[in-house]
Amino acid sequence: MVHFEHVKKNYADGLCALEDVNLHVDKGEFVFIVGASGAGKSTLLKLILREELPTAGTVRVNNVDVARLRRREIPFFRRSIGVVFQDFRLIPHMTVYENVAFALRVTNAPVREIRKRVPFFLNLVGLADKARQMPEHLSGGEQQRVSLARALVNTPSLLIADEPTGNIDPAMSCDIVDLLGEINRCGTTVLMVTHQIPLVQRFGHRTVAISQGRVVHDGRIGGGSARKQS
Amino acid sequence: MVHFEHVKKNYADGLCALEDVNLHVDKGEFVFIVGASGAGKSTLLKLILREELPTAGTVRVNNVDVARLRRREIPFFRRSIGVVFQDFRLIPHMTVYENVAFALRVTNAPVREIRKRVPFFLNLVGLADKARQMPEHLSGGEQQRVSLARALVNTPSLLIADEPTGNIDPAMSCDIVDLLGEINRCGTTVLMVTHQIPLVQRFGHRTVAISQGRVVHDGRIGGGSARKQS
Amino acid sequence: MRASSLSYLLREGMRSIFKNRMISLAAIGVLVACLLLVGASHLLTQNVNSLVGYLESQNEVMVFLDDAAKGEDLTYVDTKLRALDNIASVTFISREEGLKTWMEQLGDDGTLLEWLVEDNPLQNSYRVVLRDLSRMEETLSQIRNIAGVETISASREMAQAVTSLKDGIARAGFAVVVILAGVSLVIVANTIRLTVYSRRKEIGIMKYVGATDTFIRLPFIAEGILLGVISATIAFLLLWAGYTGFVRWVQEGSFAWAGILQSHIVPFSSVASRLYLYFLAGGVGIGTLGSMIFTGKYLKV
Amino acid sequence: MRASSLSYLLREGMRSIFKNRMISLAAIGVLVACLLLVGASHLLTQNVNSLVGYLESQNEVMVFLDDAAKGEDLTYVDTKLRALDNIASVTFISREEGLKTWMEQLGDDGTLLEWLVEDNPLQNSYRVVLRDLSRMEETLSQIRNIAGVETISASREMAQAVTSLKDGIARAGFAVVVILAGVSLVIVANTIRLTVYSRRKEIGIMKYVGATDTFIRLPFIAEGILLGVISATIAFLLLWAGYTGFVRWVQEGSFAWAGILQSHIVPFSSVASRLYLYFLAGGVGIGTLGSMIFTGKYLKV
Ligand SMILES: Nc1ncnc2c1ncn2[C@@H]1O[C@H](COP(=O)(O)OP(=O)(O)OP(=O)(O)O)[C@@H](O)[C@H]1O
Ligand SMILES: Nc1ncnc2c1ncn2[C@@H]1O[C@H](COP(=O)(O)OP(=O)(O)OP(=O)(O)O)[C@@H](O)[C@H]1O
Ligand SMILES: [Mg+2]
Ligand SMILES: [Mg+2]
């Protein structure tokens, strides 16, 4: 599903955010990505979404080399990926409902479909009563959950979530990871960046640790088979 | 230092974010504020900063009734409070250095002072090498730390921090709470919202729990004298 | 495109205008101001043209007849003259009338010429007013070919002056309208650029969620069209009110020139529909193009 | 205010312009366009005024002398006429010259008047050109009081027409400049409004960090002033180039009217410094005021 081969990413100012990253995630996997602040986790996800292009190496997602995508194809490529952004990225002038519906509208979904799916997913993240609010009138955790609902509403084949529980209390964080696990069991590949080690330990999925742009650990934390990087 | 008396906060749409809140924080205290997403924690902090006004009850900070502040006095009032915002609120067109320096400039600090203090605090949060970056080129955790440096640079008498470790890895989170503790020992009152129960347990400061707009617990978690709300 | 998307687009466009009242008002203000400028200079040109048309009608050609031409010959010349297509009016002036007028013009000194009545040195003549001064030469040669016509006296300089004046005004008017339209375009384009710029984040987000360029653009375009229509209508109504007021002021005015102005002012109704059409085309065109061009820059994410 | 803050403010203003190139360019574009419009209409008014001044100088008064006035009397009248302050030029036309000119004007028919040479019915006269037509009546009565003057023939209608034309142009020119300035103000204010609007978040952040209103405003004002100066300079240079090109075009033109235009076109140098001053005042004023007014709205947090 996601394949990084000798990927290197330098930002415009010469900063090397990723260095020789090799990572293979199969269809249906659930992977935690952990690492210190500034390690390069978000950069990794940005490469998957083609928000940034790799400086060297190849990134293949769904058997597509992201660097080879033509401009016209990018939107369709992105629709197959659900994203929870670290900074939420809600559209400020649309209500919560419209923000979630937007991800369906871009796919030309029929109104009936939108009317059914949007309330369902808002309910799933516990925001059914906030549907008509504007994002700026939500608490931090609520915004984050809207972002999650938007990522899920399309039933994407790949879900990438950048600290989706960073602003959410522990109890609800567990619920959300449970939810992601549920979705994962239904066939969606999940990549989730998190700082909350308790979560990682509790759910025991494959965990990739990044430090200073390099993958330093790959495998279950505390037992399980760790595939150490060469 | 901070006194809430029967404070109630209704937002424009009628939503009741805080209900009959009584809270007294003395000078020199370190208080954790915990609670579910949407419980009203940020609202509490916004009332202290006079970003919002209470619907009923009085909020007194530094012996000043915030509702009675005249427009001209607000900036001077705010300068005595250092704030780490949940959404960072960095000025997008200024570099990291300028963002931190800005909090000094507004106080008409001399250039010598700025040149000394800004690098010192950037170093304290581990961002000495990012001084010339623009905020949008920083990782989530780095932006959060810039916000922290800006809150500290003024040596405020009151520091309020809204999830200052939400985007930061556990190791660095500990360092940051250590840092806040250090500052607290030097006399600054600290109010910190957090979801990370391990932190709360480890540092064992007074903890205020909020649920659905009400203070439901006040005191040390796990031992210590809990002052239960009536 | 599905009906659902279409309704979404229209709804978005409309809602955006109301939501971003600030920006919409700014854009409408700018567009209205520009349309007003262009419209006002168009009306001015039209009026000056109408005045010059009057000046032109004041120009005449004197056609002097052979002394031999009498009775039937005169009718013949008359018919021939009236048959020419570039001729607005024909007035016969007999030699007797001519002398009388001349003597009157000289005033007191005219009595000195009384002895001439016996031996009138003047000729029968026609005062001919041309329709189109620029075709003067052609018409003069046609008149010259009529049997019975001896000489023609025409003020070629006056003809040239009026023609070149008309020409100059047409050009100047065109230039002013073109320049103003150009300036308006710059201003409106910049406004739209600012509008789009202030929403660049939003556009980026849409792209990351998988929206195609077209999908992002369409609400902007819908908004542009709507803004164009609103601005055109406001500008049209303002110009209407302003111009009507101006016309009334002129009509009631008692200053010199008022007479000429009063009878040659262009009524608003005669340009209204065309003007509104121009305004609509301009407003919608600029709104649409502006939204299309300037979204482009932020679509590349 | 400390020197450190001052240097910060200036630095911020400048840097902001370069950082927000997009917005700055838009604002400059709009301001330049507006200044150009106002400047161009000012130049136009000046030129039309100069032309009307020429028209005015074409106007003359004929002063006919008593048949009895001869020799010394003529010198006396001459001196008296030249002593009047509203008189631009005085030309003596003797009765013989007058007759000759008349005969020439009549052309062929003039020979008929040859017998008049013996008994010239004309009078000695002066052709007097007035400086200021609006003071005509006053001057005429002064002339009438000079001994030796019999009658005066003056075209009062022409005087009135030119005076009202001048008046009309002065008013119309003023109106156009005022209207354009008003439109420009609306446009520029809207642009600044947009600019400030797109930074409202930033302004809010500054307030939350404890900045006073003044402290937030000053960089905006510095920016406004800088944008004003830049725009004024660009507009001035563009107008200079454009107008010089226009003057050259007229000078080289061979169309009718070219002669009159050529000698009465206003050279750029004669208005340059005033124009630049206006532009600077306008640009800086609008930039400053706009930044001040429109930041206000977002300062209330
Ligand atoms: N657009 C950019 N231009 C320049 N440098 C950048 C840019 N984006 C990120 N960086 C730098 O690249 C490094 C990795 O950033 P990244 O966002 O991937 O970190 P992260 O692992 O997500 O950290 P966090 O947990 O704090 O979000 C950081 O040092 C950051 O400053
Ligand atoms: N400006 C506003 N207008 C209307 N409702 C608001 C506004 N700001 C916050 N709210 C609502 O008030 C409630 C409390 O919000 P608050 O931001 O205080 O929560 P919080 O405890 O900080 O949550 P989180 O941990 O998710 O940040 C939420 O339900 C939120 O939707
Ligand atoms: Mg990150
Ligand atoms: Mg909050």
Side-chain angles (χ1 to χ4, degrees), chain A residues 11 15 37-43 86 195, chain B residues 130 137 139-142:
Chain A
Y11 279 111
L15 186 131
S37 173
K41 306 180 295 300
S42 297
T43 304
Q86 192 170 11
H195 287 312
Chain B
K130 298 277 176 191
H137 291 167
S139 81
E142 286 163 350

Side-chain angles (χ1 to χ4, degrees), chain C residues 138-149:
Chain C
E138 174 198 340
T139 311
L140 289 189
S141 69
Q142 287 171 338
I143 296 176
R144 212 170 280 122
N145 287 338
I146 299 173
V149 169

Side-chain angles (χ1 to χ4, degrees), chain A residues 13 15 35-39 42 46 86 130 133 136-142 145 163 165-170 172 195-198, chain B residues 13 15 35-39 42 46 86 130 133 136-142 145 163 165-170 172 195-198:
Chain A
D13 54 357
L15 186 131
S37 173
S42 297
K46 283 179 186 166
Q86 192 170 11
K130 298 277 177 192
Q133 289 280 3
E136 57 175 333
H137 291 168
L138 294 184
S139 80
E142 286 164 349
R145 284 180 278 155
E163 297 190 38
T165 58
N167 288 279
I168 295 172
D169 52 295
M172 191 172 278
H195 287 312
Q196 285 158 290
I197 300 302
Chain B
D13 54 356
L15 187 129
S37 172
S42 298
K46 282 178 188 168
Q86 190 171 10
K130 298 277 176 191
Q133 288 281 2
E136 56 175 335
H137 291 167
L138 295 183
S139 81
E142 286 163 350
R145 283 179 279 154
E163 297 190 37
T165 57
N167 290 276
I168 296 172
D169 51 295
M172 188 171 281
H195 287 310
Q196 284 158 291
I197 300 301

